[in-house]
mmCIF file of all heavy atoms in Angstrom:
data_model
loop_
_atom_site.group_PDB
_atom_site.id
_atom_site.type_symbol
_atom_site.label_atom_id
_atom_site.label_comp_id
_atom_site.label_asym_id
_atom_site.label_seq_id
_atom_site.Cartn_x
_atom_site.Cartn_y
_atom_site.Cartn_z
ATOM 1 N N ASN A 76 9.973 75.024 -20.169
ATOM 2 C CA ASN A 76 9.880 73.651 -20.548
ATOM 3 C C ASN A 76 10.766 72.763 -19.704
ATOM 4 O O ASN A 76 11.613 71.957 -20.203
ATOM 5 C CB ASN A 76 10.410 73.608 -22.044
ATOM 6 C CG ASN A 76 9.424 72.935 -22.997
ATOM 7 O OD1 ASN A 76 8.201 73.144 -22.796
ATOM 8 N ND2 ASN A 76 9.933 72.183 -23.953
ATOM 9 N N ARG A 77 10.527 72.806 -18.376
ATOM 10 C CA ARG A 77 11.236 71.903 -17.497
ATOM 11 C C ARG A 77 10.325 71.618 -16.308
ATOM 12 O O ARG A 77 9.328 72.316 -16.042
ATOM 13 C CB ARG A 77 12.572 72.589 -17.116
ATOM 14 C CG ARG A 77 12.426 73.841 -16.361
ATOM 15 C CD ARG A 77 13.824 74.510 -16.159
ATOM 16 N NE ARG A 77 13.736 75.634 -15.307
ATOM 17 C CZ ARG A 77 14.681 76.524 -15.109
ATOM 18 N NH1 ARG A 77 15.947 76.301 -15.684
ATOM 19 N NH2 ARG A 77 14.581 77.555 -14.278
ATOM 20 N N PHE A 78 10.720 70.511 -15.530
ATOM 21 C CA PHE A 78 10.071 70.214 -14.376
ATOM 22 C C PHE A 78 11.096 69.779 -13.362
ATOM 23 O O PHE A 78 12.248 69.512 -13.720
ATOM 24 C CB PHE A 78 8.949 69.132 -14.631
ATOM 25 C CG PHE A 78 9.488 67.789 -15.121
ATOM 26 C CD1 PHE A 78 9.565 66.722 -14.341
ATOM 27 C CD2 PHE A 78 9.777 67.663 -16.484
ATOM 28 C CE1 PHE A 78 10.004 65.520 -14.866
ATOM 29 C CE2 PHE A 78 10.266 66.530 -17.054
ATOM 30 C CZ PHE A 78 10.385 65.377 -16.198
ATOM 31 N N SER A 79 10.647 69.747 -12.065
ATOM 32 C CA SER A 79 11.639 69.553 -10.974
ATOM 33 C C SER A 79 11.210 68.504 -9.915
ATOM 34 O O SER A 79 9.988 68.195 -9.814
ATOM 35 C CB SER A 79 11.888 70.932 -10.282
ATOM 36 O OG SER A 79 12.411 71.830 -11.189
ATOM 37 N N LEU A 80 12.204 68.054 -9.238
ATOM 38 C CA LEU A 80 11.933 67.152 -8.096
ATOM 39 C C LEU A 80 12.627 67.727 -6.908
ATOM 40 O O LEU A 80 13.788 68.147 -6.884
ATOM 41 C CB LEU A 80 12.581 65.750 -8.447
ATOM 42 C CG LEU A 80 12.614 64.788 -7.266
ATOM 43 C CD1 LEU A 80 11.265 64.288 -6.863
ATOM 44 C CD2 LEU A 80 13.571 63.606 -7.648
ATOM 45 N N ARG A 81 11.890 67.694 -5.755
ATOM 46 C CA ARG A 81 12.512 68.071 -4.473
ATOM 47 C C ARG A 81 12.220 66.909 -3.572
ATOM 48 O O ARG A 81 10.975 66.478 -3.328
ATOM 49 C CB ARG A 81 11.850 69.279 -3.918
ATOM 50 C CG ARG A 81 12.458 70.622 -4.545
ATOM 51 C CD ARG A 81 11.674 71.821 -4.064
ATOM 52 N NE ARG A 81 11.597 71.924 -2.596
ATOM 53 C CZ ARG A 81 12.557 72.536 -1.865
ATOM 54 N NH1 ARG A 81 13.685 73.053 -2.297
ATOM 55 N NH2 ARG A 81 12.405 72.551 -0.485
ATOM 56 N N LEU A 82 13.246 66.413 -2.853
ATOM 57 C CA LEU A 82 13.116 65.289 -1.877
ATOM 58 C C LEU A 82 13.723 65.830 -0.624
ATOM 59 O O LEU A 82 14.995 66.076 -0.580
ATOM 60 C CB LEU A 82 13.794 63.986 -2.370
ATOM 61 C CG LEU A 82 13.642 62.810 -1.494
ATOM 62 C CD1 LEU A 82 12.206 62.431 -1.341
ATOM 63 C CD2 LEU A 82 14.488 61.718 -2.046
ATOM 64 N N MET A 83 12.991 65.979 0.432
ATOM 65 C CA MET A 83 13.418 66.523 1.648
ATOM 66 C C MET A 83 14.013 65.508 2.635
ATOM 67 O O MET A 83 13.736 64.231 2.454
ATOM 68 C CB MET A 83 12.336 67.276 2.400
ATOM 69 C CG MET A 83 11.737 68.389 1.671
ATOM 70 S SD MET A 83 10.422 69.300 2.619
ATOM 71 C CE MET A 83 9.320 67.944 2.903
ATOM 72 N N SER A 84 14.831 65.910 3.600
ATOM 73 C CA SER A 84 15.341 65.098 4.659
ATOM 74 C C SER A 84 15.888 63.789 4.170
ATOM 75 O O SER A 84 15.549 62.714 4.543
ATOM 76 C CB SER A 84 14.164 64.762 5.647
ATOM 77 O OG SER A 84 13.566 65.996 6.117
ATOM 78 N N VAL A 85 16.858 63.922 3.267
ATOM 79 C CA VAL A 85 17.448 62.679 2.606
ATOM 80 C C VAL A 85 18.344 61.934 3.565
ATOM 81 O O VAL A 85 18.895 62.556 4.547
ATOM 82 C CB VAL A 85 18.173 63.039 1.339
ATOM 83 C CG1 VAL A 85 17.212 63.672 0.344
ATOM 84 C CG2 VAL A 85 19.302 64.016 1.658
ATOM 85 N N THR A 86 18.409 60.667 3.390
ATOM 86 C CA THR A 86 19.341 59.744 4.026
ATOM 87 C C THR A 86 20.122 58.995 3.027
ATOM 88 O O THR A 86 19.852 59.105 1.766
ATOM 89 C CB THR A 86 18.577 58.798 4.922
ATOM 90 O OG1 THR A 86 17.883 57.906 4.126
ATOM 91 C CG2 THR A 86 17.601 59.518 5.883
ATOM 92 N N ALA A 87 21.047 58.129 3.515
ATOM 93 C CA ALA A 87 21.824 57.291 2.542
ATOM 94 C C ALA A 87 20.967 56.469 1.683
ATOM 95 O O ALA A 87 21.326 56.080 0.567
ATOM 96 C CB ALA A 87 22.797 56.424 3.327
#
Side-chain angles (χ1 to χ4, degrees):
Chain A
N76 237 35
R77 60 189 188 188
F78 60 104
S79 298
L80 169 72
R81 281 173 53 88
L82 181 65
M83 300 185 299
S84 305
V85 298
T86 70

